[in-house]
Amino acid sequence: EAGVTQFPSHSVIEKGQTVTLRCDPISGHDNLYWYRRVMGKEIKFLLHFVKESKQDESGMPNNRFLAERTGGTYSTLKVQPAELEDSGVYFCASSRGPIAGAQETQYFGPGTRLLVL
Amino acid sequence: AQTVTQSQPEMSVQEAETVTLSCTYDTSESDYYLFWYKQPPSRQMILVIRQEAYKQQNATENRFSVNFQKAAKSFSLKISDSQLGDAAMYFCAYFHAGNKLTFGGGTRVLVKP
C-alpha cells in the first residue's frame, strides 16, 4: 500500500510569491489533514477534510492560506502571497475513519519544507 | 485548550542502552488518546505507539513501551536496547475529539555507536 505522498519535498520562494503544496493521501482514506511545523516549534493542526468537505479549518492562520480537495482525492494547500513567517514544514496526513473508537491512526507524509526569503 | 509539553529538546543514548523521553499534557477530559510518533531524518513520521486513556495497562510495542500516569498527566516513552535506526525526532501527541492531533515540541534522539 502506497503511503501518503507530498509534493514538492522542498520549496524556496520569495516573499510575496505564491506556492502550492500537494498531498496525495492513501487510497481509500476519506480523512485528510494538514499540519505545519514552524522552525523549532510544535506541529500545529491546520485543517481537516472529510472527502471533499472541510470538517475543521480552525487552525488555518489567515486568509492567505487556501486548501482544496477536489473530488475527495488529493488536496492542495496554496499560500498567496507568502510571508516570511510561513516558512516551515507542512505535513499532510490521512486516515480511513475517525481516530476515536477504533484502531485508527493518522498516516503522515514526509512533509514539504517551505522557505520564504 | 489542550497542551502537550516535551521538556527534553535532545537526548543521547548509547547503542543497546535504554532512553526515556518525557511528555506531559494538560487536559480536562477523561477519555482521550495519546501517541508517540517518530520522524527519522528526511523521512515521514510514523506511529510508534498508542495509548487509550481508559486503559490502565501501559502499551508496549517490541522495544518501545510507555509509562502512562493519568493522574499526573504524564506519558513517557522508553526505548530499550537502542539501535542506530532509532535516531529520530520523537513527537508526543494528544487526541480527544475532532480528529486533530495536538503535538509536543519534539525530542531529538541521538544514538551513539
Side-chain angles (χ1 to χ4, degrees):
Chain A
E1 175 178 77
V4 177
T5 57
Q6 293 186 244
F7 182 83
S9 58
H10 296 78
S11 181
V12 181
I13 61 173
E14 293 188 351
K15 175 182 173 181
Q17 289 186 322
T18 297
V19 62
T20 300
L21 313 181
R22 172 170 170 145
C23 168
D24 286 77
I26 293 172
S27 178
H29 282 195
D30 287 340
N31 294 267
L32 187 149
Y33 317 81
W34 284 98
Y35 292 85
R36 174 175 77 167
R37 186 182 190 212
V38 173
M39 184 63 70
K41 298 195 174 180
E42 298 86 359
I43 299 171
K44 295 279 193 184
F45 168 83
L46 295 178
L47 87 159
H48 168 217
F49 283 99
V50 177
K51 296 185 180 179
E52 68 275 9
S53 300
K54 292 176 184 174
Q55 189 77 8
D56 180 356
E57 51 185 330
S58 61
M60 294 288 265
N62 51 61
N63 59 10
R64 295 185 294 103
F65 289 74
L66 175 63
E68 295 180 324
R69 192 181 183 195
T70 306
T73 55
Y74 70 91
S75 174
T76 57
L77 179 64
K78 182 162 70 174
V79 185
Q80 179 182 32
E83 298 289 344
L84 300 180
E85 63 265 25
D86 300 333
S87 297
V89 182
Y90 290 77
F91 293 100
C92 176
S94 73
S95 67
R96 189 178 304 276
I99 293 178
Q103 288 300 312
E104 189 60 75
T105 187
Q106 292 185 13
Y107 295 87
F108 282 80
T112 293
R113 283 150 184 79
L114 174 65
L115 179 60
V116 183
L117 301 176
Chain B
Q2 291 85 9
T3 57
V4 178
T5 302
Q6 293 179 246
S7 59
Q8 307 149 317
E10 186 174 286
M11 293 287 282
S12 185
V13 62
Q14 202 71 36
E15 197 175 5
E17 297 293 310
T18 295
V19 65
T20 299
L21 311 183
S22 68
C23 173
T24 57
Y25 57 94
D26 184 27
T27 184
S28 58
E29 305 295 340
S30 59
D31 189 18
Y32 49 86
Y33 299 77
L34 296 164
F35 306 85
W36 278 100
Y37 279 88
K38 166 187 176 182
Q39 186 182 24
S42 301
R43 294 179 61 185
Q44 61 203 94
M45 203 151 45
I46 58 173
L47 179 67
V48 174
I49 202 163
R50 163 193 174 119
Q51 175 83 42
E52 291 89 345
Y54 63 85
K55 290 187 178 179
Q56 293 185 337
Q57 186 173 7
N58 290 324
T60 299
E61 286 290 340
N62 301 315
R63 297 181 296 104
F64 298 87
S65 61
V66 299
N67 183 4
F68 173 48
Q69 300 290 327
K70 192 172 184 179
K73 296 179 182 174
S74 171
F75 183 60
S76 61
L77 174 71
K78 184 169 79 171
I79 307 173
S80 304
D81 185 24
S82 297
Q83 300 176 359
L84 295 178
D86 295 332
M89 281 292 291
Y90 287 80
F91 294 97
C92 178
Y94 164 100
F95 171 82
H96 166 61
N99 278 317
K100 59 183 175 185
L101 294 168
T102 301
F103 286 89
T107 297
R108 183 177 304 280
V109 172
L110 305 173
V111 181
K112 298 178 180 178

